[in-house]
Amino acid sequence: QVQLVESGGGLVQPGGSLRLSCAASGSIFSINAMGWYRQAPGKQRELVATITRGGSTNYADSVKGRFTISRVNAKNTVYLQMNSLKREDTAVYYCNAGVRSNAGTRMYDYWGQGTQVTVSS
């Protein structure tokens, strides 16, 4: 079994910052891409940022210049540094990873439980 454990969510004022962390654990053979998605009330889940094992990144236009995704492969951990937060960033943020477990050869898509980020004064 593989688990993704998230931390770092919370309540911040507009213009503030938060840093989300997500660590994968369990019977892991390798991890390919990792990323962050979010879902606001009444809206579809959307991509925020992704990062390959080699460090190539991709961002949604709405967060470019404000958010930074990074990872530490030795710790199976991905981060999302969020700066200049806006009310529109309020959502549940989900960690995602493509993982090959020790039990097989196929890659599976795993998701974290989600962490609430609320931007409000």
Side-chain angles (χ1 to χ4, degrees):
Q1 188 79 303
V2 176
Q3 299 86 33
L4 302 182
V5 180
E6 299 171 319
S7 62
L11 174 65
V12 295
Q13 294 184 350
S17 298
L18 281 176
R19 186 187 188 224
L20 306 183
S21 300
C22 174
S25 62
S27 185
I28 298 171
F29 181 82
S30 63
I31 300 178
N32 190 14
M34 304 183 81
W36 292 93
Y37 293 72
R38 68 186 182 186
Q39 187 168 20
K43 294 185 177 180
Q44 188 175 345
R45 187 176 299 187
E46 65 177 353
L47 182 147
V48 177
T50 60
I51 184 168
T52 68
R53 182 173 180 82
S56 297
T57 58
N58 180 50
Y59 296 93
D61 289 340
S62 59
V63 306
K64 284 182 179 178
R66 300 188 298 119
F67 291 10
T68 302
I69 189 170
S70 62
R71 65 190 288 173
V72 179
N73 291 336
K75 295 183 177 180
N76 293 327
T77 299
V78 63
Y79 305 92
L80 185 68
Q81 179 67 46
M82 304 184 293
N83 299 325
S84 301
L85 283 162
K86 306 174 180 179
R87 292 185 182 274
E88 307 92 87
D89 297 317
T90 296
V92 177
Y93 284 70
Y94 296 91
C95 176
N96 171 262
V99 180
R100 177 184 170 182
S101 74
N102 289 319
T105 60
R106 294 176 60 187
M107 299 289 293
Y108 290 91
D109 204 34
Y110 288 87
W111 293 87
Q113 78 285 355
T115 184
Q116 178 70 48
V117 172
T118 302
V119 185
S120 177
S121 59

